[in-house]
Coordinates of all heavy atoms in Angstrom, one line a residue:
M11 N 6.6 18.8 18.4 CA 6.1 18.5 19.7 C 6.7 17.2 20.2 O 6.9 16.3 19.5 CB 4.6 18.4 19.7 CG 4.0 19.2 20.9 SD 2.2 19.1 20.8 CE 1.9 17.9 22.2
V12 N 7.0 17.2 21.5 CA 7.6 15.9 22.1 C 6.5 15.0 22.5 O 5.5 15.3 23.1 CB 8.4 16.3 23.3 CG1 9.0 15.1 24.0 CG2 9.6 17.2 22.9
K13 N 6.7 13.7 22.1 CA 5.7 12.7 22.5 C 6.1 12.1 23.8 O 7.3 11.8 24.0 CB 5.6 11.6 21.4 CG 5.0 12.1 20.1 CD 5.0 11.0 19.1 CE 4.5 11.4 17.7 NZ 3.2 11.9 17.7
T14 N 5.1 11.8 24.6 CA 5.4 11.1 25.8 C 4.6 9.8 25.9 O 3.5 9.7 25.4 CB 5.1 11.9 27.0 OG1 3.8 12.4 26.9 CG2 6.0 13.1 27.1
C15 N 5.2 8.8 26.5 CA 4.5 7.5 26.6 C 3.3 7.7 27.5 O 3.3 8.3 28.5 CB 5.5 6.5 27.2 SG 4.8 4.9 27.6
T16 N 2.2 7.1 27.0 CA 1.0 7.2 27.8 C 1.0 6.4 29.1 O 0.4 6.8 30.0 CB -0.2 6.7 26.9 OG1 -0.2 7.3 25.7 CG2 -1.5 6.9 27.6
S17 N 1.8 5.4 29.1 CA 1.9 4.5 30.3 C 2.8 5.1 31.3 O 2.5 5.2 32.5 CB 2.4 3.1 29.9 OG 1.4 2.5 29.1
C18 N 4.0 5.5 31.0 CA 5.0 5.9 32.0 C 5.4 7.4 31.9 O 6.1 7.8 32.7 CB 6.3 5.0 31.8 SG 7.2 5.3 30.3
N19 N 4.8 8.1 30.9 CA 5.0 9.5 30.8 C 6.4 9.9 30.5 O 6.8 11.1 30.6 CB 4.6 10.3 32.1 CG 3.1 10.7 32.0 OD1 2.6 10.9 30.9 ND2 2.5 10.8 33.1
M20 N 7.3 9.0 30.1 CA 8.6 9.3 29.7 C 8.6 9.7 28.2 O 7.7 9.3 27.5 CB 9.5 8.1 29.8 CG 9.7 7.6 31.2 SD 10.9 8.6 32.1 CE 12.4 8.1 31.4
Q21 N 9.5 10.6 27.9 CA 9.6 11.0 26.5 C 10.1 9.9 25.7 O 10.9 9.1 26.1 CB 10.6 12.2 26.4 CG 10.1 13.5 26.9 CD 11.1 14.6 26.6 OE1 12.0 14.4 25.8 NE2 10.9 15.7 27.3
V22 N 9.5 9.7 24.5 CA 9.8 8.6 23.7 C 10.8 9.1 22.6 O 10.7 10.2 22.1 CB 8.6 7.9 23.0 CG1 7.7 7.3 24.1 CG2 7.8 8.9 22.2
G23 N 11.7 8.2 22.2 CA 12.6 8.6 21.1 C 12.1 8.1 19.8 O 11.0 8.4 19.4
S24 N 12.9 7.3 19.2 CA 12.5 6.8 17.9 C 11.8 5.5 18.0 O 11.1 5.0 17.1 CB 13.7 6.6 16.9 OG 14.7 5.9 17.6
D25 N 11.9 4.8 19.1 CA 11.3 3.5 19.3 C 10.0 3.6 20.1 O 10.0 3.7 21.3 CB 12.3 2.5 20.0 CG 13.3 2.0 19.1 OD1 13.2 2.2 17.9 OD2 14.3 1.5 19.6
F26 N 8.9 3.7 19.4 CA 7.6 3.7 20.1 C 6.6 3.3 19.1 O 6.8 3.3 17.9 CB 7.3 5.1 20.6 CG 7.1 6.2 19.6 CD1 5.8 6.5 19.2 CD2 8.2 6.9 19.0 CE1 5.6 7.4 18.2 CE2 8.0 7.8 18.1 CZ 6.7 8.1 17.7
I27 N 5.4 3.0 19.6 CA 4.3 2.7 18.7 C 3.2 3.7 19.1 O 3.1 4.1 20.2 CB 3.8 1.3 18.8 CG1 3.5 0.9 20.3 CG2 4.8 0.3 18.2 CD1 2.7 -0.4 20.4
E28 N 2.4 4.0 18.1 CA 1.3 4.9 18.3 C 0.0 4.4 17.7 O 0.1 3.9 16.5 CB 1.7 6.2 17.6 CG 0.8 7.4 17.9 CD 1.3 8.7 17.2 OE1 1.9 8.5 16.1 OE2 1.2 9.7 17.7
F29 N -1.0 4.4 18.4 CA -2.3 3.9 17.9 C -3.4 4.6 18.5 O -3.3 5.2 19.6 CB -2.4 2.4 18.1 CG -2.3 1.9 19.5 CD1 -3.4 1.8 20.3 CD2 -1.0 1.7 20.0 CE1 -3.2 1.4 21.6 CE2 -0.9 1.3 21.4 CZ -2.0 1.1 22.2
K30 N -4.6 4.6 17.9 CA -5.7 5.2 18.4 C -6.4 4.3 19.5 O -6.3 3.1 19.4 CB -6.7 5.5 17.3 CG -6.3 6.7 16.4 CD -7.4 6.9 15.3 CE -6.9 8.1 14.5 NZ -7.7 8.1 13.2
C31 N -7.0 5.0 20.4 CA -7.7 4.3 21.5 C -8.7 3.4 20.9 O -9.5 3.8 20.1 CB -8.3 5.3 22.4 SG -9.5 4.6 23.6
P32 N -8.7 2.1 21.2 CA -9.6 1.1 20.6 C -11.1 1.4 21.1 O -12.0 0.8 20.5 CB -9.1 -0.2 21.1 CG -8.3 0.0 22.3 CD -7.7 1.4 22.1
N33 N -11.2 2.1 22.1 CA -12.6 2.4 22.6 C -13.2 3.6 22.0 O -14.3 3.5 21.4 CB -12.5 2.5 24.2 CG -13.9 2.5 24.8 OD1 -14.7 1.6 24.5 ND2 -14.2 3.5 25.6
C34 N -12.5 4.7 22.1 CA -13.1 6.0 21.6 C -12.5 6.4 20.2 O -13.1 7.2 19.5 CB -13.0 7.1 22.6 SG -11.3 7.6 22.8
S35 N -11.4 5.8 19.9 CA -10.7 6.0 18.6 C -10.5 7.5 18.4 O -10.4 8.0 17.2 CB -11.4 5.4 17.4 OG -12.7 6.0 17.2
K36 N -10.4 8.3 19.4 CA -10.1 9.7 19.3 C -8.7 10.0 19.7 O -8.0 10.7 19.0 CB -11.1 10.5 20.1 CG -12.5 10.7 19.5 CD -13.3 11.6 20.5 CE -14.8 11.4 20.2 NZ -15.6 11.9 21.4
H37 N -8.4 9.5 20.9 CA -7.1 9.8 21.5 C -6.0 8.9 21.0 O -6.3 7.7 20.8 CB -7.2 9.8 23.0 CG -6.1 10.6 23.6 ND1 -6.3 11.9 24.0 CD2 -4.9 10.3 24.0 CE1 -5.2 12.4 24.5 NE2 -4.3 11.4 24.6
K38 N -4.9 9.5 20.7 CA -3.7 8.6 20.3 C -3.0 8.1 21.5 O -2.6 8.9 22.4 CB -2.8 9.4 19.4 CG -3.2 9.4 18.0 CD -2.2 10.0 17.1 CE -2.6 10.0 15.6 NZ -1.8 10.8 14.8
I39 N -2.8 6.8 21.5 CA -2.0 6.2 22.6 C -0.6 6.1 22.1 O -0.3 5.6 21.0 CB -2.6 4.8 23.0 CG1 -4.1 4.9 23.2 CG2 -1.9 4.2 24.2 CD1 -4.5 5.6 24.5
V40 N 0.4 6.5 22.9 CA 1.8 6.4 22.6 C 2.4 5.4 23.6 O 2.2 5.6 24.8 CB 2.5 7.7 22.6 CG1 4.0 7.5 22.3 CG2 1.9 8.7 21.6
R41 N 3.1 4.5 23.1 CA 3.8 3.6 24.1 C 5.3 3.4 23.7 O 5.6 3.2 22.5 CB 3.1 2.2 24.0 CG 1.7 2.2 24.6 CD 1.2 0.8 24.6 NE 1.5 0.1 25.9 CZ 1.3 -1.1 26.1 NH1 0.9 -1.9 25.1 NH2 1.5 -1.6 27.3
C42 N 6.1 3.5 24.7 CA 7.5 3.3 24.4 C 7.8 1.8 24.3 O 7.0 1.0 24.7 CB 8.4 4.0 25.5 SG 8.2 3.2 27.2
M43 N 9.0 1.5 23.8 CA 9.3 0.1 23.7 C 9.4 -0.6 25.0 O 9.0 -1.8 25.1 CB 10.6 0.0 22.9 CG 10.6 0.4 21.5 SD 9.1 -0.3 20.6 CE 9.8 -1.8 20.0
H44 N 9.8 0.1 26.0 CA 9.9 -0.5 27.3 C 8.5 -0.9 27.8 O 8.3 -2.1 28.3 CB 10.5 0.5 28.3 CG 10.5 0.0 29.7 ND1 11.4 -1.0 30.2 CD2 9.7 0.3 30.8 CE1 11.2 -1.3 31.4 NE2 10.2 -0.5 31.9
C45 N 7.5 -0.1 27.7 CA 6.2 -0.4 28.2 C 5.6 -1.4 27.3 O 4.7 -2.2 27.7 CB 5.3 0.8 28.2 SG 5.8 2.0 29.6
R46 N 6.0 -1.4 26.1 CA 5.4 -2.4 25.1 C 5.9 -3.8 25.5 O 5.2 -4.8 25.5 CB 5.8 -2.1 23.7 CG 5.0 -2.8 22.7 CD 5.4 -2.5 21.3 NE 4.9 -3.5 20.4 CZ 5.4 -3.7 19.2 NH1 6.4 -3.0 18.7 NH2 4.9 -4.6 18.4
T47 N 7.2 -3.9 25.7 CA 7.8 -5.2 26.0 C 7.4 -5.7 27.4 O 7.3 -6.9 27.6 CB 9.4 -5.2 25.9 OG1 9.8 -4.1 26.6 CG2 9.8 -5.0 24.4
T48 N 7.2 -4.8 28.3 CA 6.8 -5.3 29.6 C 5.3 -5.3 29.7 O 4.7 -5.6 30.8 CB 7.4 -4.3 30.7 OG1 7.0 -3.0 30.4 CG2 8.9 -4.4 30.7
A49 N 4.6 -5.0 28.7 CA 3.1 -5.1 28.6 C 2.4 -4.3 29.7 O 1.5 -4.7 30.4 CB 2.7 -6.5 28.6
R50 N 2.9 -3.1 29.9 CA 2.3 -2.2 30.9 C 1.0 -1.7 30.4 O 0.8 -1.5 29.2 CB 3.2 -1.0 31.2 CG 4.3 -1.3 32.2 CD 5.0 -0.1 32.6 NE 4.2 0.9 33.2 CZ 4.7 1.9 34.0 NH1 5.9 2.0 34.2 NH2 3.9 2.8 34.6
S51 N 0.0 -1.5 31.3 CA -1.3 -1.1 30.8 C -1.3 0.4 30.5 O -0.5 1.1 31.1 CB -2.3 -1.4 31.9 OG -2.0 -0.8 33.1
Y52 N -2.2 0.8 29.7 CA -2.3 2.2 29.4 C -3.7 2.7 29.7 O -4.6 1.8 29.8 CB -2.0 2.5 27.9 CG -2.9 1.8 27.0 CD1 -4.1 2.3 26.6 CD2 -2.5 0.5 26.4 CE1 -4.9 1.6 25.7 CE2 -3.3 -0.1 25.6 CZ -4.5 0.4 25.2 OH -5.3 -0.3 24.3
K53 N -3.9 4.0 29.8 CA -5.2 4.5 30.1 C -5.5 5.6 29.2 O -4.7 6.6 29.1 CB -5.3 4.9 31.6 CG -6.7 5.3 32.1 CD -6.5 5.6 33.5 CE -7.8 6.0 34.1 NZ -7.6 6.4 35.5
C54 N -6.6 5.6 28.5 CA -7.0 6.7 27.6 C -7.4 7.9 28.4 O -8.2 7.8 29.3 CB -8.1 6.2 26.7 SG -8.7 7.6 25.7
P55 N -6.8 9.1 28.2 CA -7.1 10.3 28.9 C -8.5 10.8 28.6 O -9.1 11.5 29.4 CB -6.1 11.3 28.5 CG -5.0 10.5 27.8 CD -5.7 9.3 27.2
D56 N -9.1 10.4 27.5 CA -10.4 10.8 27.1 C -11.5 10.0 27.7 O -12.4 10.5 28.3 CB -10.5 10.8 25.6 CG -9.8 12.0 25.0 OD1 -9.5 12.9 25.7 OD2 -9.7 12.0 23.7
C57 N -11.4 8.7 27.5 CA -12.6 7.8 28.0 C -12.2 6.9 29.1 O -13.0 6.1 29.5 CB -13.1 7.0 26.8 SG -11.9 5.8 26.2
Q58 N -11.0 7.0 29.6 CA -10.5 6.2 30.8 C -10.5 4.8 30.5 O -10.4 3.9 31.4 CB -11.5 6.5 32.0 CG -11.7 7.9 32.3 CD -10.5 8.7 32.6 OE1 -9.7 8.3 33.4 NE2 -10.3 9.8 31.9
F59 N -10.5 4.4 29.2 CA -10.4 3.0 28.8 C -9.0 2.5 29.2 O -8.0 3.2 28.9 CB -10.6 2.9 27.3 CG -10.4 1.5 26.8 CD1 -11.3 0.5 27.0 CD2 -9.2 1.2 26.2 CE1 -11.1 -0.8 26.5 CE2 -8.9 -0.1 25.7 CZ -9.9 -1.1 25.9
M60 N -8.9 1.4 29.8 CA -7.6 0.8 30.1 C -7.4 -0.5 29.3 O -8.3 -1.3 29.1 CB -7.5 0.5 31.6 CG -7.4 1.7 32.5 SD -7.2 1.3 34.2 CE -5.5 0.8 34.2
G61 N -6.2 -0.6 28.8 CA -5.8 -1.7 28.0 C -4.4 -2.2 28.3 O -3.7 -1.5 28.9
P62 N -4.2 -3.5 27.9 CA -2.9 -4.0 28.1 C -1.8 -3.5 27.2 O -2.1 -3.1 26.1 CB -3.1 -5.5 27.9 CG -4.2 -5.6 26.9 CD -5.1 -4.3 27.2
Ligands
ZN121 ZN1 6.5 3.9 28.6
ZN122 ZN1 -10.4 6.5 24.5

């Protein structure tokens, strides 16, 4: 399955980080390196939690 960045919805290649939502810890947040370096915010699709 193809992973997409939670912030920008772009497909991620080999450079990305993945972590569980710090609020609900159910949904996995995927961030590409671009969004990570530019510190774009993400939003959990499950609980609507927003983080930096
Ligand atoms: Zn991104
Ligand atoms: Zn969540």
Side-chain angles (χ1 to χ4, degrees):
M11 226 180 105
V12 177
K13 291 180 188 297
T14 53
C15 173
T16 306
S17 295
C18 66
N19 269 333
M20 294 283 285
Q21 286 184 15
V22 293
S24 51
D25 284 344
F26 68 94
I27 54 166
E28 189 177 35
F29 56 94
K30 284 180 180 168
C31 169
N33 190 49
C34 67
S35 68
K36 283 182 198 160
H37 202 91
K38 274 190 181 164
I39 309 290
V40 178
R41 294 183 91 193
C42 65
M43 290 314 272
H44 175 74
C45 290
R46 194 185 165 197
T47 51
T48 55
R50 277 185 66 159
S51 60
Y52 58 87
K53 190 175 177 186
C54 173
D56 280 347
C57 66
Q58 311 301 309
F59 173 81
M60 286 185 76

